[in-house]
Amino acid sequence: MELKRVVVTGFGAITPIGNNAQEYWENLVKGVSGAAPITLFDSTNFKTKFACEVKNFNPLDHFEKKEAKKMDRNTQLGVVAAREAVSHSRIIEDQVDKNRVGVIWGSGIGGLETFETEVLGWAKSEGIPRFNPFFIPKMIADITPGHVSMEYGFHGPNYTTVSACASSTNALIDAKMLLQLGKADVIVCGGSEAAVTASGMGGFNSMMALSTRNDDYKTASRPFDKDRDGFVLGEGAGCIILEEYEHAKKRGATIYAELAGGGLSADAYHMTAPHPEGLGAYLVMKNCLEDAGVTPDEVDHINMHGTSTPLGDIAESNAIVKLLGEHAFDIQINSTKSMTGHLLGAAGVIEAIAALGTILHGIVPP
């Protein structure tokens, strides 16, 4: 069976440094830091008092009040990014077959703010089970693609991948494989995360995963710097429209790039620490190149995971050198988390959009 080709025909983003894809890209190129003191909750007693929040986001600018109340912030951000991507792709105007359009999403945690609010409310209720009837639908990680499909009437494959920081990357790979197999013509694919909450910050602080550079928060996310002390928690969403190549050509879509390959692997090493030699990262990149039919010497840019953690950056660097050898020193390598912070489950897709920007504009962000 000959596998079909998969291309990008639209994208959208809402991030700590831009509330749409264009603004996001322009601020990446400028080297703008998204880090700022936390506004979403009172962080006075927390070790880390800053994060990369989405700025100037009012749900009522995007949703009716009644509709907004049924969505966690995670879902609100995801739907906003999906709307931009769908509009950008013109799949609605071109009247594609909605039975052949899927929505595959990624989120590492889902509706953490909703879970926190409801459980704290229960704890204060003296044992009386008063819960919001939308508690479960707002909380589950799988609800965002549901909202997107209902808004547009997309009847194709619909689900969420949950694989921590790889969630939206896994969503892209799943979507690619389904399109290659002819299971859909178009897949709205992305990820969202909104974990800048008391429990999110407290949990990552207890793991000693976050930077505590409260006096220098603008440069606290510093991948590969010898003084890095942990990642900066971010939030936001990204969405990419993936489409079968012949289908895109037939409707006259603008094709921005081809998604040629994807890789999957596991470290199988430790619950939180990466393999010191980056074994899983090496295997996933090796599998990706083999899937794409690309040789290591053809790679000219890598947007690394690069979270700014002491162990992670070293492991990933080791993996790249193992994969590319001396060629690793001749290519452009960056980590845009230096500006956006770490968007957890949404990181993969917003960094894929950054890579798209590099392809389209010939610029590698700092």
Side-chain angles (χ1 to χ4, degrees):
M1 176 183 174
E2 185 177 350
L3 295 177
K4 300 174 184 292
R5 295 171 66 188
V6 177
V7 295
V8 175
T9 57
F11 45 92
I14 179 164
T15 77
I17 60 170
N19 287 24
N20 57 58
Q22 183 64 31
E23 188 180 1
Y24 166 52
W25 172 253
E26 289 173 357
N27 284 328
L28 280 178
V29 174
K30 292 175 186 173
V32 172
S33 171
I38 291 169
T39 66
L40 293 172
F41 70 93
D42 182 0
S43 63
T44 303
N45 297 322
F46 287 73
K47 292 179 186 175
T48 299
K49 305 178 193 305
F50 63 94
C52 287
E53 298 176 348
V54 171
K55 319 294 189 296
N56 304 314
F57 176 72
N58 182 353
L60 299 184
D61 291 339
H62 304 276
F63 306 98
E64 296 292 333
K65 187 175 181 179
K66 188 175 179 181
E67 186 183 19
K69 289 177 74 171
K70 297 177 184 177
M71 296 182 186
D72 184 87
R73 184 176 174 91
N74 170 61
T75 297
Q76 292 169 353
L77 295 171
V79 172
V80 169
R83 284 174 177 173
E84 183 187 3
V86 169
S87 175
H88 190 206
S89 70
R90 297 189 58 83
I91 55 174
I92 301 302
E93 291 86 340
D94 290 346
Q95 298 183 329
V96 299
D97 181 356
K98 292 183 178 182
N99 292 334
R100 300 277 299 168
V101 180
V103 188
I104 300 180
W105 214 251
S107 185
I109 300 174
L112 184 59
E113 180 184 39
T114 295
F115 182 79
E116 187 177 301
T117 299
E118 292 295 323
V119 171
L120 287 174
W122 155 254
K124 295 173 183 175
S125 70
E126 300 180 350
I128 300 169
R130 295 194 182 106
F131 289 93
N132 188 317
F134 294 105
F135 171 28
I136 300 302
K138 284 175 69 174
M139 178 196 72
I140 55 175
D142 172 12
I143 198 64
T144 303
H147 277 287
V148 175
S149 67
M150 288 188 291
E151 182 161 324
Y152 293 103
F154 297 150
H155 293 283
N158 189 288
Y159 60 91
T160 290
T161 58
V162 180
S163 49
C165 310
S167 296
S168 57
T169 305
N170 275 166
L172 288 166
I173 294 169
D174 276 17
K176 179 187 81 75
M177 292 192 292
L178 288 170
L179 289 164
Q180 284 181 312
L181 293 170
K183 304 298 183 183
D185 297 327
V186 179
I187 294 184
V188 179
C189 187
S192 53
E193 206 77 88
V196 183
T197 70
S199 57
M201 187 64 66
F204 282 118
N205 263 154
S206 70
M207 293 169 63
M208 295 186 291
L210 297 179
S211 171
T212 56
R213 206 178 294 272
N214 293 304
D215 296 330
D216 191 13
Y217 54 81
K218 287 286 185 187
T219 67
S221 184
R222 46 177 73 190
F224 321 117
D225 188 286
K226 65 184 176 64
D227 294 325
R228 66 195 183 280
D229 69 329
F231 72 82
V232 176
L233 188 59
E235 63 166 2
C239 182
I240 292 176
I241 306 299
L242 294 178
E243 189 166 352
E244 192 275 318
Y245 174 61
E246 294 296 338
H247 184 271
K249 274 206 317 181
K250 186 175 179 181
R251 72 178 182 92
T254 300
I255 294 174
Y256 297 99
E258 180 173 4
L259 180 52
L264 300 165
S265 73
D267 258 353
Y269 175 71
H270 186 271
M271 203 161 134
T272 54
H275 190 283
E277 295 305 312
L279 178 61
Y282 164 74
L283 286 173
V284 81
M285 291 187 289
K286 179 175 178 287
N287 294 341
C288 182
L289 293 183
E290 289 174 356
D291 186 39
V294 171
T295 57
D297 63 310
E298 291 179 283
V299 175
D300 61 6
H301 167 48
I302 301 175
N303 183 312
M304 291 176 71
H305 191 50
T307 57
S308 185
T309 56
L311 297 179
D313 291 2
I314 291 174
E316 198 176 359
S317 299
N318 287 339
I320 287 175
V321 172
K322 182 176 180 181
L323 180 76
L324 301 183
E326 287 299 312
H327 182 56
F329 301 97
D330 297 326
I331 67 173
Q332 299 288 341
I333 298 174
N334 73 343
S335 169
T336 45
K337 286 188 180 70
S338 59
M339 293 167 278
T340 66
H342 190 356
L343 271 68
L344 307 178
V349 70
I350 70 152
E351 287 159 29
I353 293 170
L356 275 170
T358 291
I359 291 169
L360 296 173
H361 302 288
I363 301 170
V364 177

